[in-house]
Amino acid sequence: MTAPALEPGEEPPASAQPRNLADLLSYIARHTGPPGELKAVRDYRGTWVRLGQEQRLRQSGTQVPANAGPLNSQRLLHQALTVMRNTSPAYFQHFMGHVESLLALEALSQPPGLAKKNAARGARRR
């Protein structure tokens, strides 16, 4: 339960004023919301996450062969991701977060030499 908002210059009731440091910290926590990062940092991180997701979507489009048939799995995946992004951007961001996690886990599960080979092989294809 939060205290009612005060008008500028209005004093809180005496019962709501903190009496010691612990009360003061509790009062500040109740009226400032959860501790966290600055809004600018959150916005900056959100922008980079969005750009990374757009880059992944473009990469999925470049991996589709030029002569891909209607049932080509890469083509279907790219179409599904594009429709998902256009229909529900919030769900697309959530889904891509899971995809990024799975890709990171896959990279961790590969032997170090194999991961470098696969990265070099992917770079040669482009």
Side-chain angles (χ1 to χ4, degrees):
M1 183 170 151
T2 61
L6 300 174
E7 295 296 322
E10 184 180 353
E11 290 291 320
S15 63
Q17 291 182 349
R19 289 183 287 285
N20 59 32
L21 183 58
D23 288 343
L24 178 62
L25 292 174
S26 173
Y27 177 81
I28 290 171
R30 280 194 314 267
H31 294 286
T32 59
E37 57 192 9
L38 297 172
K39 183 181 183 305
V41 172
R42 190 173 46 247
D43 292 344
Y44 183 75
R45 180 176 293 122
T47 300
W48 281 106
V49 166
R50 227 178 3 266
L51 289 173
Q53 292 170 349
E54 291 296 322
Q55 181 182 11
R56 285 275 185 205
L57 185 62
R58 279 193 306 276
Q59 284 176 350
S60 74
T62 59
Q63 293 175 354
V64 176
N67 60 350
L71 297 179
N72 181 281
S73 61
Q74 289 176 330
R75 180 176 176 217
L76 291 173
L77 174 65
H78 180 68
Q79 285 178 341
L81 290 174
T82 303
V83 168
M84 186 187 305
R85 184 197 58 194
N86 294 338
T87 305
S88 177
Y91 184 77
F92 174 74
Q93 289 179 353
H94 183 78
F95 180 79
M96 290 303 287
H98 288 294
V99 170
E100 293 292 333
S101 298
L102 291 172
L103 289 172
L105 287 173
E106 181 184 25
L108 287 174
S109 68
Q110 292 180 350
L114 185 62
K116 289 179 184 176
K117 272 186 189 176
N118 288 342
R121 193 175 298 144
R124 281 192 303 242
R125 276 191 222 150
R126 290 181 215 147

